[in-house]
Amino acid sequence: MAAAAGLSPALVTRHFGSKQGLRVAVDDYVPDRIGRKLRDLDPGEGLVASLGEVSARLLGADPVLRGYLRQVLLEDSEASAALFGRLLAGASAEAERLSEAYGEQGPDEEWAPFQMLCLILGPLLLERVMQPSARMSSPARRRTW
C-alpha cells in the first residue's frame, strides 16, 4: 500500500504506527471532510441540489476518496460499520441544522440522515453499474440511435 503511494513502508509505520493506524487516520479524515462540505450547504438553494453539488465536488473530483469509501463501505467489517456510523452521526447533525434553518421539521426526522447519505453516497456505491448507463445517455451516443 505504501509503495503504491510512492512511500516507503517504514515512513508510514513511523508516522502512523501501523497499517491499522493509517486506516484510523483516514477514517477520521473522511467524515471530517464530508462534514465540512455539508456544513457549507446553503439551505436556500434546495436540499437535493445542494447535496448533489456536495457529492459532485467532493467525490467527483477525487477518485481515490471514491475508491476508498466504496471499498470500506461495501466490506463487512467492524471498521466499515464504524465509519458508516460516523457518517450517519454527521448527517444527523446536518439534517437537524438544515431543519432549523428551514424553520420546520421533516416528516420523518429519523430517516432524513439516511436519505442524505443515500443522495451523497449512492452514486459512489453504484458508480460501476452506472457507467454503462452514463455512456448510453451521453449526447454523442444518443445521436447513433
Side-chain angles (χ1 to χ4, degrees), residues 16-137:
F16 296 103
S18 66
K19 182 177 177 180
Q20 182 60 27
L22 173 60
R23 182 170 186 160
V24 168
V26 172
D27 287 353
D28 286 344
Y29 168 77
V30 169
D32 181 59
R33 185 165 176 206
I34 293 172
R36 278 184 278 140
K37 292 293 185 186
L38 286 174
R39 285 188 293 276
D40 291 342
L41 284 177
D42 179 4
E45 293 183 21
L47 185 58
V48 173
S50 295
L51 289 173
E53 185 175 326
V54 165
S55 180
R57 285 187 180 180
L58 180 65
L59 301 172
D62 193 339
V64 173
L65 179 59
R66 280 196 322 269
Y68 180 77
L69 275 171
R70 183 175 31 256
Q71 179 178 336
V72 171
L73 291 174
L74 293 176
E75 71 186 22
D76 185 18
S77 70
E78 288 182 29
S80 175
L83 179 58
F84 183 80
R86 292 181 66 193
L87 292 170
L88 185 59
S92 295
E94 288 309 307
E96 185 176 320
R97 179 185 72 83
L98 291 168
S99 289
E100 290 172 7
Y102 280 110
E104 60 185 56
Q105 298 297 319
D108 190 347
E109 295 174 41
E110 189 174 327
W111 185 242
F114 289 98
Q115 290 174 311
M116 184 180 289
L117 285 180
C118 286
L119 288 170
I120 293 171
L121 298 175
L124 159 102
L125 296 172
L126 296 170
E127 180 177 15
R128 291 182 180 148
V129 295
M130 287 172 35
Q131 288 176 348
S133 297
R135 286 192 296 269
M136 292 299 292
S137 66

